[in-house]
Amino acid sequence: MGHKSQIMYVEFKPGELHRGPAWITKVRQTKTGRGIYFRDKLLVRANGVRGNFIDDETGEEYWVSGVKKNGQDRHRWGGGPVEIDEDIRAEYEKMVGKAD
């Protein structure tokens, strides 16, 4: 399996839209660093576009990026709520300066 894990922003990109479900979640990098494990999916880097990943099984596209301290994680053309996984919420809030 993978090795390095980190909190990242992950957004499902249905078609050309940037309004799919989005999460602040923990992902694990693959050993090669060319992909990540996101929940039960292996996402691999799409050729030529930084920050875009493809589900290895379905071919569905995801936008993956680091967490932004200003909370503006959605892709610049995106919109909608961003779900924060409860098991990493405290760590995420510390990262963005919202912790007590």
Side-chain angles (χ1 to χ4, degrees):
M1 289 264 185
H3 60 292
K4 183 180 176 186
S5 67
Q6 59 190 345
I7 294 176
M8 301 288 288
Y9 171 76
V10 178
E11 177 182 314
F12 175 57
K13 291 173 53 178
E16 294 297 315
L17 302 176
H18 294 278
R19 294 188 169 275
W23 306 267
I24 301 291
T25 189
K26 192 165 271 193
V27 302
R28 286 187 343 264
Q29 286 185 355
T30 60
K31 288 181 182 179
T32 64
R34 306 245 338 121
I36 62 169
Y37 295 101
F38 163 63
R39 300 191 174 169
D40 61 348
K41 301 175 183 303
L42 169 59
L43 305 181
V44 294
R45 286 198 183 275
N47 290 329
V49 184
R50 187 172 168 253
N52 282 303
F53 286 75
I54 304 293
D55 184 315
D56 191 49
E57 288 185 17
T58 66
E60 294 173 317
E61 195 171 340
Y62 288 79
W63 174 262
V64 179
S65 69
V67 173
K68 295 176 178 59
K69 288 190 175 190
N70 65 7
Q72 306 224 350
D73 294 293
R74 273 283 187 183
H75 192 279
R76 64 180 167 186
W77 295 296
V82 176
E83 178 182 322
I84 301 169
D85 289 352
E86 284 303 318
D87 62 331
I88 57 101
R89 183 176 293 277
E91 186 178 355
Y92 165 73
E93 287 177 351
K94 185 176 180 182
M95 287 174 65
V96 297
K98 293 183 180 178
D100 293 333

